[in-house]
Amino acid sequence: MGFYADQVVPRIVNVVCGTKEAAHLRRRVCEGLEGDVLEIGFGSGLNVPFYPRAVTRVAAVDPSDVGWKLAADRVAATPVRVERGGLDGQVLPFPDHGFDAALSTWTLCTVPDAEAALREVRRVLRPGGTLHFLEHGLAPEGDEGVRRWQRRLDPLEQRLFAGCHLTRPVTELLTGAGFVITDLDVFYEKGAPKPMGADSLGVAVSPA
């Protein structure tokens, strides 16, 4: 990672993704988490205040040392045991079926190989375990005007936000990795330009 991606982007994301509207969505996506939880794309720990009491441990996976440092106060303030559990969501250092649930918020847009990351999440989830997701990606089918803008802006988005894509089809990625989506809300995030704010929030099950 270069200086900008390594030192600057985590600080920008900490601010941009720490808004009141984002906090509302983070609270929603964290509802129902329990037991041992894997969080990929932990970033600066913006989800930490919203972990339910039923969560006993979180393994936080993220490549950014700066993000982990920015998360220090949030981690210190939560009663949940949060441990840094790896750097790369595409190759997780955990045995099969070791987690009850997983959490991913605005992460699949940036992981270089989202399919590989989701396969790894399925591998480490117990059968019947759930992935709680909140992701932005390709606008809903029928919104062709928004999709055209996403394709135009995607190269710039990748440069500004260290590889973030606007055009990844979130639900297709999940089902392609073998997840069964049991709860889904697709919407445009309040206050965000539509090309950047086409969100999918829900729960997907890793079947036996």
Side-chain angles (χ1 to χ4, degrees):
M1 297 176 71
F3 177 83
Y4 177 76
D6 187 25
Q7 298 292 325
V8 179
V9 171
R11 292 179 167 87
I12 294 174
V13 171
N14 183 53
V15 174
V16 172
C17 292
T19 64
K20 185 179 293 186
E21 176 61 20
H24 166 69
L25 297 175
R26 292 179 188 280
R27 186 182 301 277
R28 282 183 59 192
V29 76
C30 287
E31 289 176 358
L33 288 171
E34 60 182 11
D36 281 358
V37 175
L38 168 75
E39 181 172 354
I40 61 169
F42 180 80
S44 58
L46 291 169
N47 291 322
V48 172
F50 307 109
Y51 294 156
R53 291 185 178 181
V55 173
T56 54
R57 178 178 71 99
V58 172
V61 176
D62 199 280
S64 175
D65 292 335
V66 171
W68 185 248
K69 290 175 183 176
L70 291 171
D73 288 346
R74 299 181 182 104
V75 171
T78 182
V80 177
R81 181 158 55 100
V82 180
E83 303 168 345
R84 195 171 188 187
L87 304 179
D88 187 354
Q90 301 160 123
V91 185
L92 296 172
F94 307 113
D96 296 354
H97 311 317
F99 291 93
D100 301 298
L103 175 63
S104 175
T105 56
W106 293 301
T107 297
L108 297 179
C109 56
T110 305
V111 177
D113 189 339
E115 293 91 345
L118 287 170
R119 288 194 299 269
E120 277 290 88
V121 172
R122 272 208 69 198
R123 180 183 66 77
V124 302
L125 276 177
R126 63 170 174 78
T130 55
L131 168 60
H132 293 231
F133 61 90
L134 168 58
E135 303 288 351
H136 77 81
L138 191 63
E141 188 173 351
D143 288 0
E144 292 304 321
V146 178
R147 287 187 170 192
R148 282 195 295 272
W149 272 108
Q150 287 181 313
R151 294 184 185 104
R152 291 171 186 152
L153 294 171
D154 200 54
L156 177 62
E157 179 81 2
Q158 291 181 53
R159 287 195 295 272
L160 289 177
F161 292 99
C164 176
H165 294 258
L166 297 174
T167 56
R168 288 185 171 170
V170 175
T171 57
E172 290 179 23
L173 287 170
L174 289 164
T175 56
F179 284 96
V180 176
I181 298 173
T182 58
D183 186 32
L184 178 64
D185 185 13
V186 178
F187 56 94
Y188 288 110
E189 187 178 334
K190 184 179 178 181
K194 283 188 173 182
M196 289 80 169
D199 284 349
S200 297
L201 186 157
V203 177
V205 174
S206 179

